[in-house]
Amino acid sequence: HVQLVESGGGSVQDGGSLTLSCAVSGYGASVSSRYCMGWFRRAPGKEREGVAAIDIDGATRYRNSVKGRFTISKDNAKNTLYLQMNSLKPEDTAIYYCAPGPRSCGPDWFRATGFGNWGQGTQVTVS
C-alpha cells in the first residue's frame, strides 16, 4: 500500500521561506529513482496546478510563477522529496501535495498526467 506524507507547511509572511518534505513508503525500492516525482498545489476555489517536478536523472521542471524561488530536490536513499520555497508570496497560499508520476515527467507534468496516489497535503499560508 503506497503512502505519501507531506510535511513542513505553515504560515509565513510575504517574502518568507518554507521547506516541504514528502516521505514515500510502500513502493518498495526508492520511488524517486524509478519515477518522476512532482509537487502540486490547490488554492481555495482553484484547480490543482503543477508546481515542480523532478525526473529520474534529476532534471527539474517548474511552473513559470515559481521559477527562481522554488527548488525541488530528492533523496533517493531516504525515498523523500523536498520543495524549498523562498520569497513566498500570498498567491502561493494553497495545500501542497506530492505524487509519483510516470517514468518520465514529460511535457504535460503540470497537468498531473500520469500522477497518482495523492497524500493528504500540507497547508502553506502566506500573508
Side-chain angles (χ1 to χ4, degrees), residues 60-115:
T60 56
R61 305 161 191 254
Y62 300 92
R63 69 180 298 105
N64 287 337
S65 64
V66 307
K67 283 182 181 177
R69 300 189 297 123
F70 290 12
T71 303
I72 187 172
S73 62
K74 60 179 179 172
D75 186 327
N76 290 338
K78 295 182 178 179
N79 230 1
T80 302
L81 183 71
Y82 303 98
L83 185 67
Q84 172 68 44
M85 305 186 295
N86 298 324
S87 302
L88 282 161
K89 304 176 181 180
E91 51 264 42
D92 295 319
T93 294
I95 299 175
Y96 284 69
Y97 303 88
C98 66
R103 290 282 190 177
S104 174
C105 296
D108 289 337
W109 69 270
F110 59 96
R111 295 193 178 98
T113 302
F115 287 79

